[in-house]
Amino acid sequence: MLPNEPWSEPRAAGIIADHLHLEGATLPILHALQETFGYVDEGAVPLIADALNLSRAEIHGCITFYHDFRRAPSGKHQVKLCRAEACQAMGSDALHAQILSRLGIDWHGTTSDGQVTVEPVYCLGLCANGPGALIDDEPLARLTADSLESALSEVKS
């Protein structure tokens, strides 16, 4: 995973300009901003709205509707915990509460050291081996709090 650039309004304006020609440019612009900066900064909202002749509320609505868009920088490592029914049947709700408690954060939160951000997802396709998770896009099946801790220790080293 490559490090993201720091937020820059001029850089964001250039990214927006590069995508204006696309039909339905809002989502491609948001994806490009997040790919560049790691999140969609609040300062991008008026830039996108002005460029696309949309309201700021419409842009904000797109950002908040789609779960993959972040409004703040995320941790160095991304943990996505499956919240789908198959994982719930395997005890994921209690497990998630334990994991979040150990990390000292809530859903969409980042640990105080900036190392880990935890996001909920709905179905990773690991249903037969739940509870499932992704750590930096690598699947982890039959998840336990200890196996997650071990996997995080491994990626941090």
Side-chain angles (χ1 to χ4, degrees), residues 19 22 25-26 55 58 65 89 105 112 121 140 144:
H19 291 81
L22 299 173
T26 304
S55 72
E58 288 172 299
F65 178 79
I105 57 175
S112 60
V121 293
L140 182 61
T144 66

Side-chain angles (χ1 to χ4, degrees), residues 8-9 19 34 37 42-43 52 61 86 92 102 111 119:
S8 160
E9 188 172 314
H19 291 81
Q34 183 155 298
F37 303 114
E42 191 62 35
L52 297 177
S92 66
R102 278 191 187 185
T111 55
E119 301 287 346

Side-chain angles (χ1 to χ4, degrees), residues 7-18 29 33 37 43-44 47-48:
W7 165 252
S8 160
E9 188 172 314
R11 176 77 166 109
I15 291 167
I16 293 165
D18 289 345
I29 288 170
L33 290 170
F37 303 114
L47 298 176
I48 300 167

Side-chain angles (χ1 to χ4, degrees), residues 132-155:
L134 292 179
I135 299 177
D136 296 337
D137 296 322
E138 291 295 322
L140 182 61
R142 294 186 176 93
L143 179 69
T144 66
D146 291 338
S147 68
L148 177 64
E149 198 170 296
S150 175
L152 283 172
S153 294
E154 191 173 310
V155 297

Side-chain angles (χ1 to χ4, degrees), residues 62-146:
C62 284
I63 295 168
T64 57
F65 178 79
Y66 294 102
H67 297 280
D68 283 340
F69 292 124
R70 289 185 295 280
R71 292 180 283 165
S74 66
K76 183 176 178 182
H77 301 286
Q78 322 294 299
V79 174
K80 295 181 180 185
L81 300 176
C82 183
R83 300 195 71 194
E85 290 81 3
C87 286
Q88 286 179 25
M90 297 301 292
S92 66
D93 287 343
L95 174 63
H96 296 162
Q98 182 182 15
I99 289 168
L100 293 169
S101 176
R102 278 191 187 185
L103 293 172
I105 57 175
D106 202 352
W107 293 111
H108 309 284
T110 301
T111 55
S112 60
D113 63 1
Q115 287 292 308
V116 178
T117 297
V118 176
E119 301 287 346
V121 293
Y122 296 88
C123 197
L124 296 170
L126 298 169
C127 304
N129 297 303
L134 292 179
I135 299 177
D136 296 337
D137 296 322
E138 291 295 322
L140 182 61
R142 294 186 176 93
L143 179 69
T144 66
D146 291 338

